[in-house]
Structure formats: C-alpha cells, structure tokens
Amino acid sequence: MFIGNNLIELDVVDSTNNYAANLLVQTKLVSGTAIMTHFQTGGRGQRGSDWISEPGKNLLFSIVLNGHFINSENYFLLSKAVAVGINEALEDLSGKTGFVKWPNDIYIDKKKIGGILIENQWKGSLLEVAIVGIGINVNQINFDDLQDVTSLSLLGSKNYDLKEVLSKVFQKIEFYYNMLKRGEVKQINQIYFNHLMFSNEWRTYGSNNGRIEGKIVEVKENGLLVLKLRNKELMTYEFKELQFIL
C-alpha cells in the first residue's frame, strides 16, 4: 500500500491541506504521502465553510497524490474515486449504508459523517498534484446544535481506533485511485453513481430559481450535476447552485 506509507502526524496545525501545500513548495513529496493532525485550528470545508472538530476525536488528514493522468476536463474523477473509497470504508466499519452527497460530502442515515476538500496544482491542462483533504467524524458524540451530523461512534455505540479507521480508508481510496489510474473511467463513473445520494430518484431541490423537481441522471467528469425534469428537460448545475432537501 503506498497511500499512508509516508505518514506525517501532527498535534496541531491550521489545516493539513495548508501544511501539505507549504511542504510541496519546499520539497518534492512522494505520491501517497499523508498528513494527519489531532486538531485543526483552521479546518476548511468546500467553498470556505469551516470544519469543526473536537481535539483527538476525529480523523483530519490530507493525502498528496500524483495526478498526471487527469486533466482539466475530467478532474472530478479523482473526487469520485476518493468519495467512493471513503464511503465504502465507512460502510464496512459501521455496517450501515452510506451515500455520497454531491459534490463532496459523505452521509449515513441522512446525516453528514465526512467531507472532502481537494485542492489541485496544475501544469498546463494536466494535474501535477492533488492535495486531498478529508475530515471524518469518528469518536465525537457531541455536536452542539448541529442536527444533521453523525459519527462512527454514534452509529456503532463504541469508540474506534483512529489509526485502524485511517488504514481502512487508505486501502479503499488506493483501490479506486489505482482503478482510475488504469483508465477504468466507465467503472468509476458507474460505481460513483451507485453511491450517489438520490441518484435516479424524483426529488425536490432548492435552486436559484426556487424549488425544482427532478432526478439526478449524471454527474459529469468535470463535476457538473445533470438533473432531468418532469418535462424531460436536462438542467446542469455547478457546485452550490443546487440545494439538497433531506
């Protein structure tokens, strides 16, 4: 296993993605290098939202991955591979069915258990390196006023060994990363769609034009979501343009 073979463990850092980016400025990191921390002072979610976590309770880490086989047209394939890997690992550990909520969250029992933030460094139109930031709620059981959040501990009524969970997640991500690297794109797209929350279901969503009814029929390789309406019209949405109503 190459993911996590080089593991940097920190007590406190602003964000593991920032730490990885700063390291890459100073030195060349082997693909699969992972940086984990017990506490983040400035954890970030997608589009600038915060990621809040109790010290020592959860998994907060970043993986540095070579992405030379990915380009600016299909960059979301990496997110698909990572999301499926995390979801499968958490399903195995919890014994429950999980879902990938587009674009970058992992949900079990309609509650968020994990999130992904990928920051890409490009060389022309090819992906030079991806910093894959991941947060997973493991042993935290108190989330204050947040109702739509859960953890492995809440789901399984026990404490988990963080390193064992991390190892499981590494294995699953590596499996799908290697599949992507081999060019098995059709399979990745299909497996991701199978894991996708509300895929092929008629649902009501929030949009910039008010509520809209449709079903998700595709998430493109550039991350755009395709919604089929009742009149058979196809609508395409970018991140944050469509709100899920759980």
Side-chain angles (χ1 to χ4, degrees):
M1 194 167 83
F2 78 94
I3 292 182
N5 198 33
N6 179 29
L7 178 64
I8 300 167
E9 191 170 347
L10 308 167
D11 283 329
V12 182
V13 72
D14 60 343
S15 105
T16 55
N17 268 27
N18 286 351
Y19 187 91
N22 290 333
L23 261 186
L24 283 166
V25 172
Q26 301 165 32
T27 185
K28 189 175 176 65
L29 294 175
V30 63
S31 185
T33 295
I35 297 115
M36 70 169 290
T37 186
H38 299 287
F39 184 61
Q40 283 189 152
T41 57
R44 290 174 292 132
Q46 188 77 15
R47 294 291 186 270
S49 56
D50 293 331
W51 182 274
I52 308 298
S53 173
E54 282 183 20
K57 296 276 189 179
N58 303 316
L59 283 177
L60 308 163
F61 61 101
S62 297
I63 306 168
V64 176
L65 291 173
N66 180 324
H68 295 165
F69 50 93
I70 295 167
N71 60 51
S72 56
E73 299 296 312
N74 67 8
Y75 75 96
F76 197 72
L77 281 170
L78 181 59
S79 185
K80 288 186 176 186
V82 169
V84 167
I86 297 170
N87 195 48
E88 281 197 1
L90 298 184
E91 285 183 330
D92 288 352
L93 289 161
S94 69
K96 293 178 177 285
T97 301
F99 293 95
V100 179
K101 178 175 168 286
W102 176 83
N104 66 330
D105 291 329
I106 309 297
Y107 272 65
I108 295 180
D109 288 346
K110 293 188 178 180
K111 294 184 176 183
K112 183 174 176 177
I113 192 169
I116 305 161
L117 177 66
I118 300 180
E119 296 178 308
N120 296 319
Q121 298 182 3
W122 299 92
K123 195 168 189 178
S125 63
L126 292 180
L127 182 59
E128 178 77 3
V129 67
I131 302 172
V132 181
I134 299 166
I136 299 171
N137 297 328
V138 181
N139 291 323
Q140 186 169 337
I141 57 173
N142 180 15
F143 293 94
D144 295 330
D145 297 329
L146 297 176
Q147 302 297 317
D148 59 344
V149 180
T150 192
S151 67
L152 282 175
S153 190
L154 283 171
L155 293 167
S157 301
K158 66 176 184 178
N159 264 17
Y160 288 78
D161 184 301
L162 290 178
K163 289 286 180 68
E164 287 180 9
V165 176
L166 188 66
S167 178
K168 180 81 171 177
V169 173
F170 284 163
Q171 289 171 21
K172 287 288 189 177
I173 291 175
E174 182 167 325
F175 178 83
Y176 286 106
Y177 173 83
N178 284 335
M179 185 183 286
L180 183 58
K181 198 172 181 180
R182 290 193 300 269
E184 297 172 24
V185 170
K186 187 176 179 181
Q187 294 93 319
I188 291 286
N189 281 325
Q190 186 58 56
I191 293 166
Y192 176 83
F193 193 75
N194 293 343
H195 282 259
L196 192 63
M197 182 182 281
F198 302 152
S199 60
N200 255 335
E201 293 180 26
W202 289 105
R203 303 284 305 193
T204 299
Y205 297 90
S207 74
N208 297 337
N209 300 317
R211 295 207 167 190
I212 188 167
E213 188 182 13
K215 67 177 178 181
I216 300 169
V217 293
E218 184 185 5
V219 173
K220 294 181 178 290
E221 293 173 10
N222 61 2
L224 297 181
L225 181 143
V226 182
L227 201 67
K228 183 179 182 180
L229 307 185
R230 288 286 188 184
N231 64 6
K232 298 185 179 176
E233 183 184 357
L234 297 177
M235 299 286 290
T236 304
Y237 294 90
E238 294 192 27
F239 306 141
K240 296 286 185 175
E241 287 185 344
L242 194 71
Q243 292 82 48
F244 282 60
I245 300 170
L246 303 183

